[in-house]
Amino acid sequence: MHSSASHRHGEASEESNKETKGLILNGGWRYDLTGWFHDTFSFRGTFRELRQRTANLAQLQPGEQVLDVGCGTGTLALIAKERVGRAGRVVGVDPGKEQIARALKKAARRHVSIEFQVGVIEQLPFPDQTFDVVFSTLMMHHVPHPLKRQGLAEIARVLKPGGRLVIADFKGKPERTGLATRFHAGGSGMHDLVAIVSEAGFSQVETEEMQPPRFSAFPGAGIVLAYKSSDECVQAWEPRP
Ligand SMILES: C[S@@+](CC[C@H](N)C(=O)[O-])C[C@H]1O[C@@H](n2cnc3c(N)ncnc32)[C@H](O)[C@@H]1O
């Protein structure tokens, strides 16, 4: 899935890529091609299944407003748009400008209206309490731990009270070495993810697991569903000393 990746921490970045401590992917169509190849030949369709299960868990309703953070080339956003319909609104943000360009092309080809824009989880360019649902799929392992906390506070800010957060991510593989370790520097197990989601003030946290099928290279994944409290007691993010 990592067709072209870069970290950008304060160094001069390519025009309109966003600065982040996360690992930006910028493959565009190459990301989709690599993803299709892995899914078909190594992962035995589990990527497709993971996206469908993520969308199912959110129980999207026609007319709802949905944000996909780290949307990549927009595949989940397209599924979400089918479910919320013309009355609904779907927005995708990703720091990779080629990912966004590819997502825009895919939406235009299907004649659907989805707002894709370059952006980062650490500073979501939306007013408070905008969205009914926020997704983040296969993205959390791209950001270091403090950024996960900061990003979850941003997500809580832009969710309406009672709004749903659905995060899907690979299960951590502690034995990873070399390049894999670098790519998955922010990787965490489901337990960690549940802990930081709860710490960020979300409640009714539920999880689903996807085990790797036999003879598949898929590492296994987890999906977390959680609700923003309706009583406005979601924690504000402050950097730890
Ligand atoms: C493995 S891809 C997953 C993309 C998409 N969600 C999917 O399921 O195909 C992870 C994405 O997270 C993005 N990303 C990295 N750092 C980010 C940040 N700080 N904020 C938002 N997205 C980020 C990358 O650019 C990349 O497109």
Side-chain angles (χ1 to χ4, degrees), residues 1-2 20-26 31 51 68-73 93-96 99 119-122 137-139 141-143 147:
M1 287 298 276
H2 297 113
T20 175
K21 288 201 168 69
L23 181 75
I24 301 175
L25 292 192
N26 232 338
Y31 174 85
R51 290 203 181 99
D68 186 5
V69 182
C71 63
T73 58
V93 297
D94 197 287
Q99 304 287 76
V120 287
I121 194 171
E122 43 269 67
T137 55
L138 307 182
M139 182 263 171
H141 66 275
H142 279 251
V143 301
L147 189 47

Side-chain angles (χ1 to χ4, degrees), residues 140 144-145 147-149 152-153 167 188-202 240:
M140 281 291 173
H145 195 74
L147 189 47
K148 288 191 178 79
R149 292 180 58 239
L152 284 168
I167 302 179
S188 62
M190 276 299 114
H191 290 303
D192 292 351
L193 208 46
V194 169
I196 54 167
V197 164
S198 309
E199 237 180 69
F202 288 88
R240 284 198 172 141

